[in-house]
Amino acid sequence: MPGFAALSSYPVTRSSPACAATGRAFAPGERFIATLVEREGSAELERVDYSLDAWEQGARPTAPLRLFGFWRAAAHDKKDDKPAILSDEELLDLFEQLTEVAEALDTRRAAFRYLLALLLVRRRQLRQVGQKMDRAMGTSGATLLVKRKGTPDDAAPITVPDPGLTDEVLAHAMEQLTQIMPDAGKAAP
């Protein structure tokens, strides 16, 4: 698909050095909630981070920001100058969070979730166990059936509808994915 090689050069949104709600700096290794937010009138995603305490007390992005997705992350040592790459655990956390709201997904989230599923299959964190066709879905009709690595064969699969990605939507979704994971453009199928 066109554009994958060029997508790895998009700017990377780095993790915040402090909690957006309290302003307290994260200590190296400290767990926190990383969020992706949409700004009204902008097609780009931004990253905003919250301490676990602030998140558990209800801190969330407010207008003009809208929550797109979130995952649990850990603060890195400030000496590390490399772009932060999400671990497999963090990517799975984000995928599962997006799965919980699958019924309410808009086109951008559906495209993002689909690409994230493909990336996790490629990284062998999810395994594709089938595909079903349903023309009534309003998309291309294809739905990936995946399971987490280590899930028993008799467990119900996770459904990931193909949102019918055009080249333009695909490029935009890949840009979003590379904002949180710089190597996503290289790993995309």
Side-chain angles (χ1 to χ4, degrees), residues 110-165:
F112 187 87
R113 181 174 178 257
Y114 184 77
L115 289 175
L116 187 55
L118 294 176
L119 177 65
L120 287 165
V121 166
R122 184 161 188 141
R123 292 180 123 198
R124 296 193 169 125
Q125 298 305 304
L126 293 178
R127 59 187 168 98
Q128 184 175 350
V129 296
Q131 182 173 337
K132 65 180 180 178
M133 301 300 286
D134 183 0
R135 297 283 179 221
M137 295 177 59
T139 66
S140 67
T143 297
L144 290 178
L145 303 174
V146 297
K147 291 184 182 183
R148 276 187 79 146
K149 177 175 73 173
T151 301
D153 288 339
D154 61 349
I158 301 165
T159 59
V160 186
D162 178 349
L165 301 176

Side-chain angles (χ1 to χ4, degrees), residues 43-157:
E44 302 302 315
L45 294 177
E46 300 174 30
R47 174 136 169 208
V48 180
D49 299 333
Y50 295 90
S51 69
L52 289 178
D53 289 340
W55 187 261
E56 288 169 3
Q57 292 174 12
R60 301 290 189 275
T62 58
L65 303 177
R66 187 181 91 177
L67 185 63
F68 184 89
F70 64 92
W71 66 96
R72 294 188 183 279
H76 298 285
D77 190 347
K78 293 176 183 168
K79 296 176 187 174
D80 187 5
D81 288 340
K82 293 185 275 184
I85 296 176
L86 295 184
S87 69
D88 291 339
E89 178 184 318
E90 292 168 335
L91 288 171
L92 281 166
D93 193 25
L94 176 58
F95 176 77
E96 287 176 357
Q97 181 270 326
L98 288 171
T99 299
E100 292 172 11
V101 295
E103 298 82 34
L105 290 178
D106 58 34
T107 303
R108 290 178 64 196
R109 286 186 183 160
F112 187 87
R113 181 174 178 257
Y114 184 77
L115 289 175
L116 187 55
L118 294 176
L119 177 65
L120 287 165
V121 166
R122 184 161 188 141
R123 292 180 123 198
R124 296 193 169 125
Q125 298 305 304
L126 293 178
R127 59 187 168 98
Q128 184 175 350
V129 296
Q131 182 173 337
K132 65 180 180 178
M133 301 300 286
D134 183 0
R135 297 283 179 221
M137 295 177 59
T139 66
S140 67
T143 297
L144 290 178
L145 303 174
V146 297
K147 291 184 182 183
R148 276 187 79 146
K149 177 175 73 173
T151 301
D153 288 339
D154 61 349

